[in-house]
Every structure is written in structure tokens, then in C-alpha cells.
Amino acid sequence: MNSEIYNFPPFFTRQPNETTWQAQLSHWKDVILTHSRETKQWRLSNTDSIFENKKIQRRLKPDVIQLVLSDLVSNKKADWVDSKTKTEVWIWWRSAEEWATLILAWIDSTGQNGSIVTFYDIAGDDSPGVPEMVGMDSTMLHKVCQVLVHQGKAAVMRDEDGNEVGLKV
Amino acid sequence: MGNQSSKGIKVTSQDKAILDLKLQRDKLKQYKKKIQVVLDSEVELAKDALKKGDKKRALLALRKKKYQEGMLIKTDEQLETLENLTSSIEFALVQKDVVYGLEQGNKVLKEINQEISLDRVERLRDETEEGIAYQEEVSAMLMSNISNADEEDVQAELEALEQQERAKLPQKQTTFPEVPKDKIEEPMDLPKVPEGIPEDKQPEKKEPLLA
């Protein structure tokens, strides 16, 4: 964590002033997104170690964590893993649209337009098309695919069990 | 590829077949990875057993390893078969597209050719010939007009011009100065040639005196 603000003790306490609080939320958003991009973290729970800075012996209170997570979701930087319990989020350190663009770029650059690609081709651990996507959960992958479908750039293909397994582009 | 509509992309049964093949390929790839892990662990087991002096165990592990290696080779072969099949199908699809493209091109060519019927070309050629003939007639007429009315004038003008040119020319026989016929008198007051041998004016060499 290179962020200076992460080592700033008041960062771990909710600021009473509304303007300050909004700025604080925005900083939390940046810290989380940067951190998950660097560590390739797709999932963030409300008990994640990022909410505690042992170096300065500060931790965010659970209710504030909840607010931070909600802020991420409302800014479309995250989705609830379970929208009822709201304890965990999928983090979009790249938006679904950005991921979709990356997939298309890979398909274009490898001349695969019109052919079938499996999810394993795109994000499998064996020479993946979009290496950054390795490890992405199927829930997130589904959302990325929906973007492509809406753009009319691809059709989602399912196996016999009805699972989404590939794309026709 | 050819069958791409403007609204989204249709999935055909061929696509499904290709997908199945590719999924199978993915599974084989994963299986290969699994075997590789087992293989490595058997080697480790054999090493450990050897360290402990348990030859039997080591041999067993190595046999297992051998077996897994065989599986790995088989898997590779199957993977190759699958990939060949997949690319054959994909290539066949490309061929289908090529044939489709050829068909389309042929159709267009036929349509264009129909527009250029032979009758039309013939008619066009006749018309062109008529046009050329007419053009020739016109120029012939113009020529004859000139010879009737103005030819004499033109001839006269030509003569006049010629005369002018002739007058301008200098006379060809130029006169040279006459050669004088009488003898040219030689001037007689030239100095006389000396007679007799001229005295040797060179001083005689005096013999050096012997002192």
C-alpha cells in the first residue's frame, strides 16, 4: 500500500463533516480499487485485511465498512456477491465494459472473428487470451458477456448443463 | 462469418459442435496439468523413499510415474486429434464462406453481363461507325469546297510568296578581283651578296708559354 492516506489515522474514522466524509469515501474507493488491481483480487469481504492497518493500529468500524462497500456498489465499482446479506462484493477494478473491450481486442488481434472461443480460451490458466482475467469468477464473466451481447458483438454459448462456457464472436 | 446478422449473433448447430470440441480440448488440457502434478509428486515420493533406503517403495513410485507418463502421451495424442478435427471444421466453414462468396460474385458478374448484351454492343459499334463515316464525309466536303473556290487564290499567293523569296536571295556568281597580268618589278636596291670568303675574325688561340 503506497497510499499516504492509508497511513493517516483519521482515514480509519468516519469524518463528521459531510464534505470531508465524501472525500474520505472517494479515497477509500481509490485505495480498494488500486489494491485489488495490484493483487488481482476479485472478491472483497467486509472482514478483509485492507480495512485494518496494523502499522498505525487503526481499523475501520464494521458499520463504516458497510458504507464504504455500499459506496463502491453505487459507483458501479462493485457488485454484491449476495445482495441480501451484503457482506461481500465482486470488485470491478476494470469495468465490465473495459473487460469486454479487452476481449474484443484479443479476438481481433488473433483473427478469431466469427469463431467460437471458450471461457478457458479467454481466461484459463493455459495461455489465456486476456491474461488479466485469469481467476475471474463466472458471475463477473457473465456480466462481461452480457455487455458483449448487448453490443451485438457476441453470443453466449452454453454446455449441456446450461452453464455459460463460451462465446461466439 | 457470412451468417452474421445485424441484430446479435446467431448460434448454429455447427457452432455448438465446435464449442463441444473446444470444451473437450479444454478438459484435456486441464487433465494434462493434473497428470503433470501427479507425475511430479511421484518423482518426489521415489526420491524420499530412496533416501530412507526403501527401494521397493521407490520402484513402485517410479512405475506409477511411468504409467502416468503413458497417460500424458495418450492425452497429448487425443488433444492433437481433437485440435485437428476442430481446425478441419473451422476450415470447412471458411471454405463454405469462400464458395458462398464465389457464388455471389458469379451472380453479380452475370447480372452485369446481361446488361451488356451483344446486340447492344453491335448496335453501339454500328453507331460509332456511322459517326466516323459522317465525320469523314464532312471533312471531304470541306476539302472540296476549298479547292473549288479558293484553290486558285491559294496557288497565286503561293507563287507570290515564292517570287518574293527568290528576290531576296543574293546573286549566286560573285566576282573575284582580277589577277594582275604584267610582271611585277623586283626592287633592285637590295644589298649585294659579299664575294670571297670572309676573314676569320676569331682570335687565334695563343699557346700557353712554358715558364
Side-chain angles (χ1 to χ4, degrees):
Chain A
M1 192 62 53
N2 52 9
S3 179
E4 237 174 79
I5 196 148
Y6 193 67
N7 295 318
F8 182 55
F11 187 51
F12 289 81
T13 313
R14 188 189 159 151
Q15 298 305 304
N17 180 300
E18 183 58 27
T19 319
T20 321
W21 164 236
Q22 286 307 324
Q24 192 184 2
L25 267 181
S26 166
H27 282 308
W28 265 110
K29 191 177 74 197
D30 290 344
V31 164
I32 290 171
L33 289 177
T34 312
H35 178 70
S36 39
R37 184 181 300 125
E38 275 166 10
T39 57
K40 294 202 83 181
Q41 191 175 355
W42 302 100
R43 223 174 152 130
L44 185 78
S45 84
N46 54 9
T47 54
D48 196 277
S49 58
I50 196 172
F51 298 117
E52 181 177 1
N53 188 347
K54 285 187 173 139
K55 208 165 107 189
I56 55 169
Q57 294 196 323
R58 285 290 188 283
R59 58 147 41 126
L60 213 55
K61 279 183 184 161
D63 57 320
V64 187
I65 290 178
Q66 212 57 35
L67 287 171
V68 169
L69 291 184
S70 298
D71 177 64
L72 276 175
V73 172
S74 61
N75 277 300
K76 299 200 167 157
K77 296 292 181 197
D79 282 327
W80 295 114
V81 172
D82 185 340
S83 54
K84 279 174 194 156
T85 55
K86 294 192 177 178
T87 53
E88 236 181 319
V89 287
W90 302 113
I91 312 166
W92 293 100
W93 39 269
R94 269 189 214 287
S95 69
E97 286 76 17
E98 282 172 330
W99 288 120
T101 311
L102 282 178
I103 294 179
L104 285 180
W106 166 63
I107 281 165
D108 275 342
S109 68
T110 48
Q112 295 191 91
N113 306 65
S115 55
I116 318 286
V117 291
T118 61
F119 285 173
Y120 192 74
D121 284 331
I122 300 171
D125 44 12
D126 191 40
S127 62
V130 188
E132 276 192 296
M133 283 177 80
V134 175
M136 187 188 258
D137 188 85
S138 58
T139 324
M140 296 179 81
L141 210 46
H142 170 77
K143 204 174 167 184
V144 175
C145 291
Q146 286 312 309
V147 173
L148 287 172
V149 171
H150 279 303
Q151 290 174 349
K153 300 270 174 62
V156 177
M157 301 194 70
R158 298 168 188 276
D159 62 2
E160 299 97 48
D161 304 330
N163 297 319
E164 292 179 347
V165 284
L167 287 176
K168 179 177 181 187
V169 286
Chain B
M1 274 192 193
N3 49 10
Q4 210 161 310
S5 65
S6 56
K7 268 208 168 180
I9 289 163
K10 283 179 206 156
V11 176
T12 62
S13 56
Q14 289 157 350
D15 292 340
K16 283 233 170 83
I18 296 175
L19 178 76
D20 283 343
L21 283 176
K22 290 198 168 174
L23 286 177
Q24 214 58 49
R25 177 205 61 190
D26 292 350
K27 273 181 196 153
L28 276 181
K29 276 185 186 170
Q30 278 157 317
Y31 183 62
K32 255 179 73 179
K33 212 164 279 166
K34 194 183 116 195
I35 289 182
Q36 194 62 51
V37 173
V38 175
L39 234 157
D40 294 345
S41 72
E42 294 294 355
V43 174
E44 282 307 306
L45 268 176
K47 274 184 193 164
D48 282 355
L50 260 187
K51 262 182 212 163
K52 286 173 194 159
D54 194 346
K55 264 197 173 173
K56 251 186 169 179
R57 262 262 166 86
L59 268 175
L60 187 68
L62 285 179
R63 266 193 215 109
K64 272 191 190 165
K65 184 199 149 214
K66 192 81 197 159
Y67 177 72
Q68 296 289 352
E69 272 176 349
M71 297 290 279
L72 199 62
I73 291 169
K74 270 184 206 159
T75 315
D76 268 337
E77 279 164 8
Q78 286 183 358
L79 199 60
E80 205 192 324
T81 316
L82 261 181
E83 275 174 352
N84 283 345
L85 188 57
T86 316
S87 51
S88 298
I89 293 177
E90 280 180 337
F91 186 63
L93 281 175
V94 171
Q95 277 181 325
K96 200 183 95 184
D97 275 358
V98 171
V99 171
Y100 179 78
L102 282 176
E103 260 173 18
Q104 292 294 312
N106 214 353
K107 221 172 98 190
V108 173
L109 198 63
K110 262 188 199 161
E111 277 172 14
I112 295 175
N113 279 342
Q114 259 169 12
E115 276 178 43
I116 323 170
S117 65
L118 279 181
D119 278 358
R120 242 179 99 189
V121 176
E122 222 168 298
R123 214 183 322 141
L124 209 69
R125 217 185 52 192
D126 287 351
E127 274 171 23
T128 317
E129 266 170 22
E130 272 170 36
I132 292 172
Y134 180 75
Q135 179 63 45
E136 273 169 5
E137 225 173 287
V138 169
S139 49
M141 246 149 106
L142 281 174
M143 288 288 286
S144 64
N145 272 357
I146 282 178
S147 64
N148 282 345
D150 301 328
E151 189 64 21
E152 277 169 32
D153 281 356
V154 172
Q155 286 292 339
E157 205 176 340
L158 184 70
E159 255 167 56
L161 264 178
E162 269 174 352
Q163 265 176 359
Q164 259 179 35
E165 288 301 304
R166 228 176 284 148
K168 261 187 212 165
L169 274 178
Q171 281 194 315
K172 264 180 191 172
Q173 279 197 324
T174 42
T175 48
F176 293 105
E178 269 178 56
V179 182
K181 277 165 192 168
D182 46 337
K183 227 178 162 184
I184 301 165
E185 268 181 72
E186 279 181 45
M188 303 308 277
D189 53 344
L190 287 176
K192 276 184 186 171
V193 180
E195 277 162 33
I197 306 153
E199 270 178 71
D200 202 349
K201 272 176 187 175
Q202 221 175 337
E204 277 174 49
K205 260 187 192 171
K206 283 174 185 171
E207 277 185 45
L209 287 171
L210 289 167

